[in-house]
Amino acid sequence: MSDRKSSRTRAHLIRVAAEVFAAKGYTAARLADLVAASGLTKGAFYFHFPSKEAAAGAVLAATQQEWLHALGPRLAAVPVGGRRQALIDAIVDLATNDPAAWAAFRLCADLHDAPALADAIRRHNQTWIDLVSDVLRADAPNADPARIQACAIGLVGAVAGVRDLLAGLHAQDQVHLVLTTLADATAHFLDKPYGELK
C-alpha cells in the first residue's frame, strides 16, 4: 500500500471510528462495529488499528490536532478582549457539528482511568485547559491565576456536560446559549473575590 493511500485509509478509519464512538460510546462499541462501519476487511482494519483502544487513541490525537488547527486562525483574527467569545463560539460549533469532537468528549469521559490511554487523555484535557486559560488571562490580566485555571477547568468540563444534559432534555438547541452564558458569567466575576459574588 502506498504511503498516500495508507494515509487516506487511516484518515477514513479515524472518521468512521469517531462516528461509532460518538454514537455508542467506547464501552458499547465493539471492534466488529468499527470494522463493519469502515467497509474494509478485518485484516485491512487491523493493519492500521490492531485494537479498539488503538482506534480510540487515534481519534483523540486526530481530533485535537484538527481542533487546534481550526481554532488558531479564528482566535488570531479577533483582538484581545473578544477572544473569549470567539473561543466559545468555535468550540460550540465544533462540538455540535463535528462527530469526531463529540467522540473525543465521550472517550475522555469513558477512558480517563484506562491505563493505556490515561496519559493521552490527560494531555488532551490539559491542552484545552491551557488554551482556555490563556484566553481568559488575556481578557482579565489582573485576575488571580488560580481562579483563571479553575474557570478554565470548569468551562472545558462544561462543554461535554452541558451537551449531555441538554441532549437528555431534548434541548440541544440551547447548547450555545448555555455555554456562552457560562463564559460571560465567568468573565464578569473573574476579578471579584468570592465574598463579593452576588
Side-chain angles (χ1 to χ4, degrees):
M1 185 181 293
S2 71
D3 289 345
R4 183 177 296 176
K5 183 175 180 182
S6 179
S7 295
R8 284 198 307 266
T9 300
R10 181 179 171 84
H12 164 72
L13 294 178
I14 289 172
R15 284 193 301 273
V16 165
E19 291 169 1
V20 173
F21 289 137
K24 296 189 172 190
Y26 181 82
T27 303
R30 300 172 303 142
L31 192 54
D33 296 327
L34 301 178
V35 173
S38 74
L40 301 179
T41 64
K42 283 184 181 179
F45 188 95
Y46 292 169
F47 174 80
H48 293 277
F49 303 118
S51 67
K52 183 171 75 166
E53 198 170 69
V59 169
L60 279 173
T63 300
Q64 184 168 81
Q65 185 177 21
E66 289 173 11
W67 274 39
L68 292 174
H69 182 73
L71 282 173
R74 289 179 72 162
L75 292 178
V78 178
V80 172
R83 289 183 181 169
R84 176 183 46 83
Q85 186 62 53
L87 177 67
I88 292 297
D89 290 344
I91 288 177
V92 171
D93 180 45
L94 290 167
T96 54
N97 297 316
D98 182 357
W102 185 229
F105 289 131
R106 292 200 69 174
L107 288 171
C108 286
D110 291 348
L111 296 173
H112 67 278
D113 287 330
L117 289 175
D119 285 343
I121 289 171
R122 215 173 355 261
R123 287 192 302 272
H124 179 89
N125 288 331
Q126 192 62 55
T127 296
W128 293 108
I129 290 168
D130 291 345
L131 175 62
V132 175
S133 292
D134 289 345
V135 171
L136 292 178
R137 191 175 300 108
D139 274 4
N142 298 319
D144 177 7
R147 294 188 72 187
I148 287 177
Q149 178 81 352
C151 288
I153 291 169
L155 288 172
V156 170
V159 174
V162 165
R163 178 171 165 152
D164 268 345
L165 176 63
L166 293 177
L169 297 172
H170 304 291
Q172 294 95 320
D173 59 322
Q174 295 182 40
V175 169
H176 189 275
L177 174 62
V178 172
L179 290 176
T180 298
T181 301
L182 181 59
D184 286 345
T186 297
H188 179 69
F189 292 118
L190 203 50
D191 289 318
K192 291 178 177 284
Y194 182 77
E196 293 181 14
L197 300 182
K198 295 179 182 179

